[in-house]
PDB file of all heavy atoms in Angstrom:
ATOM      1  N   ASN K 100       3.053  50.955  10.545  1.00  0.00           N
ATOM      2  CA  ASN K 100       2.555  50.279   9.344  1.00  0.00           C
ATOM      3  C   ASN K 100       1.060  50.063   9.531  1.00  0.00           C
ATOM      4  O   ASN K 100       0.633  49.066  10.126  1.00  0.00           O
ATOM      5  CB  ASN K 100       3.282  48.944   9.151  1.00  0.00           C
ATOM      6  CG  ASN K 100       2.845  48.260   7.872  1.00  0.00           C
ATOM      7  OD1 ASN K 100       1.838  48.641   7.269  1.00  0.00           O
ATOM      8  ND2 ASN K 100       3.589  47.246   7.459  1.00  0.00           N
ATOM      9  N   SER K 103      -0.734  46.701   9.056  1.00  0.00           N
ATOM     10  CA  SER K 103      -0.595  45.539   9.941  1.00  0.00           C
ATOM     11  C   SER K 103      -1.291  45.782  11.278  1.00  0.00           C
ATOM     12  O   SER K 103      -1.098  45.035  12.215  1.00  0.00           O
ATOM     13  CB  SER K 103       0.879  45.217  10.182  1.00  0.00           C
ATOM     14  OG  SER K 103       1.498  46.265  10.894  1.00  0.00           O
ATOM     15  N   ALA K 114      -5.221  58.366   0.491  1.00  0.00           N
ATOM     16  CA  ALA K 114      -4.205  57.823  -0.419  1.00  0.00           C
ATOM     17  C   ALA K 114      -4.547  57.981  -1.901  1.00  0.00           C
ATOM     18  O   ALA K 114      -3.673  58.330  -2.692  1.00  0.00           O
ATOM     19  CB  ALA K 114      -3.951  56.362  -0.087  1.00  0.00           C
ATOM     20  N   PRO K 115      -5.784  57.733  -2.319  1.00  0.00           N
ATOM     21  CA  PRO K 115      -6.047  57.799  -3.764  1.00  0.00           C
ATOM     22  C   PRO K 115      -5.723  59.143  -4.402  1.00  0.00           C
ATOM     23  O   PRO K 115      -5.536  59.226  -5.605  1.00  0.00           O
ATOM     24  CB  PRO K 115      -7.552  57.512  -3.868  1.00  0.00           C
ATOM     25  CG  PRO K 115      -7.894  56.771  -2.616  1.00  0.00           C
ATOM     26  CD  PRO K 115      -6.967  57.311  -1.567  1.00  0.00           C
ATOM     27  N   CYS K 117      -3.190  61.122  -3.251  1.00  0.00           N
ATOM     28  CA  CYS K 117      -1.793  61.487  -3.012  1.00  0.00           C
ATOM     29  C   CYS K 117      -0.913  60.964  -4.139  1.00  0.00           C
ATOM     30  O   CYS K 117      -1.236  59.993  -4.812  1.00  0.00           O
ATOM     31  CB  CYS K 117      -1.312  60.907  -1.676  1.00  0.00           C
ATOM     32  SG  CYS K 117      -2.095  61.722  -0.270  1.00  0.00           S
ATOM     33  N   LYS K 118       0.222  61.609  -4.274  1.00  0.00           N
ATOM     34  CA  LYS K 118       1.223  61.189  -5.262  1.00  0.00           C
ATOM     35  C   LYS K 118       1.787  59.821  -4.897  1.00  0.00           C
ATOM     36  O   LYS K 118       2.027  58.974  -5.753  1.00  0.00           O
ATOM     37  CB  LYS K 118       2.338  62.244  -5.279  1.00  0.00           C
ATOM     38  CG  LYS K 118       3.367  62.049  -6.334  1.00  0.00           C
ATOM     39  CD  LYS K 118       2.811  62.339  -7.722  1.00  0.00           C
ATOM     40  CE  LYS K 118       3.835  61.931  -8.780  1.00  0.00           C
ATOM     41  NZ  LYS K 118       3.198  61.798 -10.086  1.00  0.00           N
ATOM     42  N   GLY K 119       1.995  59.621  -3.599  1.00  0.00           N
ATOM     43  CA  GLY K 119       2.513  58.343  -3.135  1.00  0.00           C
ATOM     44  C   GLY K 119       2.287  58.207  -1.649  1.00  0.00           C
ATOM     45  O   GLY K 119       1.971  59.195  -0.966  1.00  0.00           O
ATOM     46  N   SER K 120       2.440  56.983  -1.128  1.00  0.00           N
ATOM     47  CA  SER K 120       2.218  56.711   0.287  1.00  0.00           C
ATOM     48  C   SER K 120       3.361  55.904   0.864  1.00  0.00           C
ATOM     49  O   SER K 120       3.917  55.038   0.187  1.00  0.00           O
ATOM     50  CB  SER K 120       0.908  55.924   0.469  1.00  0.00           C
ATOM     51  OG  SER K 120      -0.195  56.669   0.048  1.00  0.00           O
ATOM     52  N   LEU K 121       3.684  56.194   2.128  1.00  0.00           N
ATOM     53  CA  LEU K 121       4.784  55.556   2.857  1.00  0.00           C
ATOM     54  C   LEU K 121       4.294  55.118   4.227  1.00  0.00           C
ATOM     55  O   LEU K 121       3.903  55.967   5.031  1.00  0.00           O
ATOM     56  CB  LEU K 121       5.849  56.595   3.129  1.00  0.00           C
ATOM     57  CG  LEU K 121       6.862  57.011   2.097  1.00  0.00           C
ATOM     58  CD1 LEU K 121       7.441  58.364   2.491  1.00  0.00           C
ATOM     59  CD2 LEU K 121       7.957  55.989   1.965  1.00  0.00           C
ATOM     60  N   PHE K 122       4.330  53.836   4.540  1.00  0.00           N
ATOM     61  CA  PHE K 122       3.830  53.364   5.837  1.00  0.00           C
ATOM     62  C   PHE K 122       4.887  52.548   6.573  1.00  0.00           C
ATOM     63  O   PHE K 122       5.478  51.636   5.980  1.00  0.00           O
ATOM     64  CB  PHE K 122       2.625  52.429   5.661  1.00  0.00           C
ATOM     65  CG  PHE K 122       1.526  52.944   4.815  1.00  0.00           C
ATOM     66  CD1 PHE K 122       0.779  52.074   4.010  1.00  0.00           C
ATOM     67  CD2 PHE K 122       1.180  54.277   4.812  1.00  0.00           C
ATOM     68  CE1 PHE K 122      -0.270  52.523   3.225  1.00  0.00           C
ATOM     69  CE2 PHE K 122       0.127  54.750   4.026  1.00  0.00           C
ATOM     70  CZ  PHE K 122      -0.592  53.863   3.225  1.00  0.00           C
ATOM     71  N   GLY K 123       5.063  52.811   7.861  1.00  0.00           N
ATOM     72  CA  GLY K 123       5.787  51.877   8.708  1.00  0.00           C
ATOM     73  C   GLY K 123       7.257  52.156   8.930  1.00  0.00           C
ATOM     74  O   GLY K 123       7.948  51.340   9.539  1.00  0.00           O
ATOM     75  N   ASP K 127      11.555  58.170  10.238  1.00  0.00           N
ATOM     76  CA  ASP K 127      12.351  58.221   9.012  1.00  0.00           C
ATOM     77  C   ASP K 127      11.455  58.360   7.767  1.00  0.00           C
ATOM     78  O   ASP K 127      11.925  58.789   6.711  1.00  0.00           O
ATOM     79  CB  ASP K 127      13.224  56.960   8.902  1.00  0.00           C
ATOM     80  CG  ASP K 127      14.298  57.077   7.820  1.00  0.00           C
ATOM     81  OD1 ASP K 127      14.943  58.138   7.738  1.00  0.00           O
ATOM     82  OD2 ASP K 127      14.486  56.102   7.074  1.00  0.00           O
ATOM     83  N   ARG K 130      11.660  61.757   6.209  1.00  0.00           N
ATOM     84  CA  ARG K 130      12.836  61.984   5.366  1.00  0.00           C
ATOM     85  C   ARG K 130      12.631  61.332   3.991  1.00  0.00           C
ATOM     86  O   ARG K 130      12.901  61.929   2.948  1.00  0.00           O
ATOM     87  CB  ARG K 130      14.097  61.398   6.012  1.00  0.00           C
ATOM     88  CG  ARG K 130      15.356  61.607   5.150  1.00  0.00           C
ATOM     89  CD  ARG K 130      16.586  60.949   5.768  1.00  0.00           C
ATOM     90  NE  ARG K 130      16.476  59.496   5.853  1.00  0.00           N
ATOM     91  CZ  ARG K 130      17.022  58.636   4.979  1.00  0.00           C
ATOM     92  NH1 ARG K 130      17.716  59.073   3.961  1.00  0.00           N
ATOM     93  NH2 ARG K 130      16.862  57.334   5.146  1.00  0.00           N
ATOM     94  N   GLU K 134      12.742  63.034   0.355  1.00  0.00           N
ATOM     95  CA  GLU K 134      13.513  62.492  -0.773  1.00  0.00           C
ATOM     96  C   GLU K 134      12.610  62.301  -2.003  1.00  0.00           C
ATOM     97  O   GLU K 134      12.985  62.630  -3.129  1.00  0.00           O
ATOM     98  CB  GLU K 134      14.128  61.132  -0.394  1.00  0.00           C
ATOM     99  CG  GLU K 134      15.357  61.209   0.480  1.00  0.00           C
ATOM    100  CD  GLU K 134      16.585  61.657  -0.307  1.00  0.00           C
ATOM    101  OE1 GLU K 134      16.655  61.366  -1.514  1.00  0.00           O
ATOM    102  OE2 GLU K 134      17.445  62.331   0.292  1.00  0.00           O
ATOM    103  N   HIS K 138      12.820  64.231  -5.684  1.00  0.00           N
ATOM    104  CA  HIS K 138      12.905  63.508  -6.947  1.00  0.00           C
ATOM    105  C   HIS K 138      11.802  63.945  -7.913  1.00  0.00           C
ATOM    106  O   HIS K 138      12.037  64.163  -9.105  1.00  0.00           O
ATOM    107  CB  HIS K 138      12.817  62.001  -6.681  1.00  0.00           C
ATOM    108  CG  HIS K 138      12.986  61.168  -7.909  1.00  0.00           C
ATOM    109  ND1 HIS K 138      14.209  60.823  -8.409  1.00  0.00           N
ATOM    110  CD2 HIS K 138      12.066  60.639  -8.759  1.00  0.00           C
ATOM    111  CE1 HIS K 138      14.056  60.096  -9.495  1.00  0.00           C
ATOM    112  NE2 HIS K 138      12.770  59.971  -9.738  1.00  0.00           N
TER     113      HIS K 138
ATOM    114  N   ASN L 100       0.534  53.790  -7.596  1.00  0.00           N
ATOM    115  CA  ASN L 100      -0.170  53.938  -6.316  1.00  0.00           C
ATOM    116  C   ASN L 100      -1.355  52.970  -6.325  1.00  0.00           C
ATOM    117  O   ASN L 100      -2.431  53.289  -6.830  1.00  0.00           O
ATOM    118  CB  ASN L 100      -0.642  55.385  -6.148  1.00  0.00           C
ATOM    119  CG  ASN L 100      -1.282  55.591  -4.779  1.00  0.00           C
ATOM    120  OD1 ASN L 100      -1.615  54.626  -4.097  1.00  0.00           O
ATOM    121  ND2 ASN L 100      -1.456  56.851  -4.393  1.00  0.00           N
ATOM    122  N   SER L 103      -4.977  53.953  -5.463  1.00  0.00           N
ATOM    123  CA  SER L 103      -5.844  54.793  -6.306  1.00  0.00           C
ATOM    124  C   SER L 103      -6.274  54.038  -7.561  1.00  0.00           C
ATOM    125  O   SER L 103      -6.812  54.641  -8.484  1.00  0.00           O
ATOM    126  CB  SER L 103      -5.115  56.084  -6.694  1.00  0.00           C
ATOM    127  OG  SER L 103      -4.015  55.787  -7.513  1.00  0.00           O
ATOM    128  N   ALA L 114       1.629  43.235   2.947  1.00  0.00           N
ATOM    129  CA  ALA L 114       2.017  44.394   3.748  1.00  0.00           C
ATOM    130  C   ALA L 114       2.089  44.113   5.251  1.00  0.00           C
ATOM    131  O   ALA L 114       3.025  44.561   5.912  1.00  0.00           O
ATOM    132  CB  ALA L 114       1.069  45.561   3.472  1.00  0.00           C
ATOM    133  N   PRO L 115       1.116  43.380   5.835  1.00  0.00           N
ATOM    134  CA  PRO L 115       1.162  43.208   7.294  1.00  0.00           C
ATOM    135  C   PRO L 115       2.448  42.565   7.807  1.00  0.00           C
ATOM    136  O   PRO L 115       2.770  42.704   8.977  1.00  0.00           O
ATOM    137  CB  PRO L 115      -0.041  42.301   7.592  1.00  0.00           C
ATOM    138  CG  PRO L 115      -0.958  42.490   6.433  1.00  0.00           C
ATOM    139  CD  PRO L 115      -0.082  42.768   5.252  1.00  0.00           C
ATOM    140  N   CYS L 117       5.469  43.045   6.260  1.00  0.00           N
ATOM    141  CA  CYS L 117       6.633  43.822   5.839  1.00  0.00           C
ATOM    142  C   CYS L 117       6.967  44.880   6.884  1.00  0.00           C
ATOM    143  O   CYS L 117       6.114  45.328   7.639  1.00  0.00           O
ATOM    144  CB  CYS L 117       6.363  44.495   4.492  1.00  0.00           C
ATOM    145  SG  CYS L 117       6.254  43.291   3.147  1.00  0.00           S
ATOM    146  N   LYS L 118       8.196  45.280   6.847  1.00  0.00           N
ATOM    147  CA  LYS L 118       8.669  46.355   7.729  1.00  0.00           C
ATOM    148  C   LYS L 118       7.988  47.672   7.362  1.00  0.00           C
ATOM    149  O   LYS L 118       7.634  48.463   8.234  1.00  0.00           O
ATOM    150  CB  LYS L 118      10.191  46.460   7.558  1.00  0.00           C
ATOM    151  CG  LYS L 118      10.874  47.391   8.499  1.00  0.00           C
ATOM    152  CD  LYS L 118      10.856  46.870   9.922  1.00  0.00           C
ATOM    153  CE  LYS L 118      11.371  47.942  10.882  1.00  0.00           C
ATOM    154  NZ  LYS L 118      11.042  47.611  12.271  1.00  0.00           N
ATOM    155  N   GLY L 119       7.828  47.884   6.078  1.00  0.00           N
ATOM    156  CA  GLY L 119       7.184  49.106   5.622  1.00  0.00           C
ATOM    157  C   GLY L 119       6.762  48.943   4.179  1.00  0.00           C
ATOM    158  O   GLY L 119       7.187  48.005   3.498  1.00  0.00           O
ATOM    159  N   SER L 120       5.917  49.877   3.715  1.00  0.00           N
ATOM    160  CA  SER L 120       5.399  49.814   2.351  1.00  0.00           C
ATOM    161  C   SER L 120       5.516  51.173   1.686  1.00  0.00           C
ATOM    162  O   SER L 120       5.330  52.207   2.332  1.00  0.00           O
ATOM    163  CB  SER L 120       3.924  49.389   2.364  1.00  0.00           C
ATOM    164  OG  SER L 120       3.770  48.094   2.881  1.00  0.00           O
ATOM    165  N   LEU L 121       5.760  51.148   0.380  1.00  0.00           N
ATOM    166  CA  LEU L 121       5.956  52.356  -0.436  1.00  0.00           C
ATOM    167  C   LEU L 121       5.148  52.226  -1.714  1.00  0.00           C
ATOM    168  O   LEU L 121       5.423  51.328  -2.517  1.00  0.00           O
ATOM    169  CB  LEU L 121       7.413  52.414  -0.884  1.00  0.00           C
ATOM    170  CG  LEU L 121       8.516  52.912   0.004  1.00  0.00           C
ATOM    171  CD1 LEU L 121       9.845  52.386  -0.506  1.00  0.00           C
ATOM    172  CD2 LEU L 121       8.537  54.426   0.036  1.00  0.00           C
ATOM    173  N   PHE L 122       4.194  53.095  -1.964  1.00  0.00           N
ATOM    174  CA  PHE L 122       3.356  52.973  -3.158  1.00  0.00           C
ATOM    175  C   PHE L 122       3.387  54.269  -3.967  1.00  0.00           C
ATOM    176  O   PHE L 122       3.186  55.346  -3.404  1.00  0.00           O
ATOM    177  CB  PHE L 122       1.892  52.739  -2.793  1.00  0.00           C
ATOM    178  CG  PHE L 122       1.632  51.612  -1.852  1.00  0.00           C
ATOM    179  CD1 PHE L 122       0.583  51.696  -0.927  1.00  0.00           C
ATOM    180  CD2 PHE L 122       2.391  50.456  -1.873  1.00  0.00           C
ATOM    181  CE1 PHE L 122       0.320  50.658  -0.055  1.00  0.00           C
ATOM    182  CE2 PHE L 122       2.130  49.401  -1.005  1.00  0.00           C
ATOM    183  CZ  PHE L 122       1.089  49.504  -0.088  1.00  0.00           C
ATOM    184  N   GLY L 123       3.542  54.155  -5.277  1.00  0.00           N
ATOM    185  CA  GLY L 123       3.233  55.284  -6.151  1.00  0.00           C
ATOM    186  C   GLY L 123       4.391  56.155  -6.568  1.00  0.00           C
ATOM    187  O   GLY L 123       4.174  57.177  -7.215  1.00  0.00           O
ATOM    188  N   ASP L 127      11.531  55.175  -8.668  1.00  0.00           N
ATOM    189  CA  ASP L 127      12.238  55.794  -7.546  1.00  0.00           C
ATOM    190  C   ASP L 127      11.898  55.101  -6.221  1.00  0.00           C
ATOM    191  O   ASP L 127      12.643  55.213  -5.244  1.00  0.00           O
ATOM    192  CB  ASP L 127      11.903  57.295  -7.465  1.00  0.00           C
ATOM    193  CG  ASP L 127      12.824  58.061  -6.532  1.00  0.00           C
ATOM    194  OD1 ASP L 127      14.050  57.817  -6.564  1.00  0.00           O
ATOM    195  OD2 ASP L 127      12.326  58.889  -5.750  1.00  0.00           O
ATOM    196  N   ARG L 130      14.730  53.036  -4.880  1.00  0.00           N
ATOM    197  CA  ARG L 130      15.774  53.798  -4.183  1.00  0.00           C
ATOM    198  C   ARG L 130      15.328  54.155  -2.771  1.00  0.00           C
ATOM    199  O   ARG L 130      16.080  54.011  -1.809  1.00  0.00           O
ATOM    200  CB  ARG L 130      16.101  55.086  -4.954  1.00  0.00           C
ATOM    201  CG  ARG L 130      17.205  55.918  -4.271  1.00  0.00           C
ATOM    202  CD  ARG L 130      17.473  57.227  -4.998  1.00  0.00           C
ATOM    203  NE  ARG L 130      16.323  58.128  -5.006  1.00  0.00           N
ATOM    204  CZ  ARG L 130      16.140  59.154  -4.149  1.00  0.00           C
ATOM    205  NH1 ARG L 130      17.033  59.399  -3.208  1.00  0.00           N
ATOM    206  NH2 ARG L 130      15.066  59.915  -4.234  1.00  0.00           N
ATOM    207  N   GLU L 134      17.069  53.278   0.738  1.00  0.00           N
ATOM    208  CA  GLU L 134      17.326  54.272   1.794  1.00  0.00           C
ATOM    209  C   GLU L 134      16.736  53.811   3.131  1.00  0.00           C
ATOM    210  O   GLU L 134      17.366  53.906   4.180  1.00  0.00           O
ATOM    211  CB  GLU L 134      16.686  55.622   1.419  1.00  0.00           C
ATOM    212  CG  GLU L 134      17.446  56.444   0.409  1.00  0.00           C
ATOM    213  CD  GLU L 134      18.701  57.064   1.038  1.00  0.00           C
ATOM    214  OE1 GLU L 134      18.684  57.363   2.248  1.00  0.00           O
ATOM    215  OE2 GLU L 134      19.693  57.227   0.305  1.00  0.00           O
ATOM    216  N   HIS L 138      18.700  52.838   6.663  1.00  0.00           N
ATOM    217  CA  HIS L 138      18.380  53.454   7.951  1.00  0.00           C
ATOM    218  C   HIS L 138      18.082  52.388   9.006  1.00  0.00           C
ATOM    219  O   HIS L 138      18.546  52.470  10.147  1.00  0.00           O
ATOM    220  CB  HIS L 138      17.184  54.386   7.773  1.00  0.00           C
ATOM    221  CG  HIS L 138      16.833  55.139   9.012  1.00  0.00           C
ATOM    222  ND1 HIS L 138      17.453  56.301   9.387  1.00  0.00           N
ATOM    223  CD2 HIS L 138      15.933  54.866   9.996  1.00  0.00           C
ATOM    224  CE1 HIS L 138      16.950  56.721  10.525  1.00  0.00           C
ATOM    225  NE2 HIS L 138      16.022  55.878  10.920  1.00  0.00           N
TER     226      HIS L 138
END
Side-chain angles (χ1 to χ4, degrees):
Chain K
N100 183 346
S103 65
C117 290
K118 186 71 188 162
S120 297
L121 279 160
F122 309 146
D127 192 44
R130 180 183 64 99
E134 282 285 330
H138 184 84
Chain L
N100 184 345
S103 65
C117 291
K118 187 69 189 165
S120 297
L121 279 159
F122 308 146
D127 193 43
R130 181 183 63 98
E134 282 287 329
H138 184 84

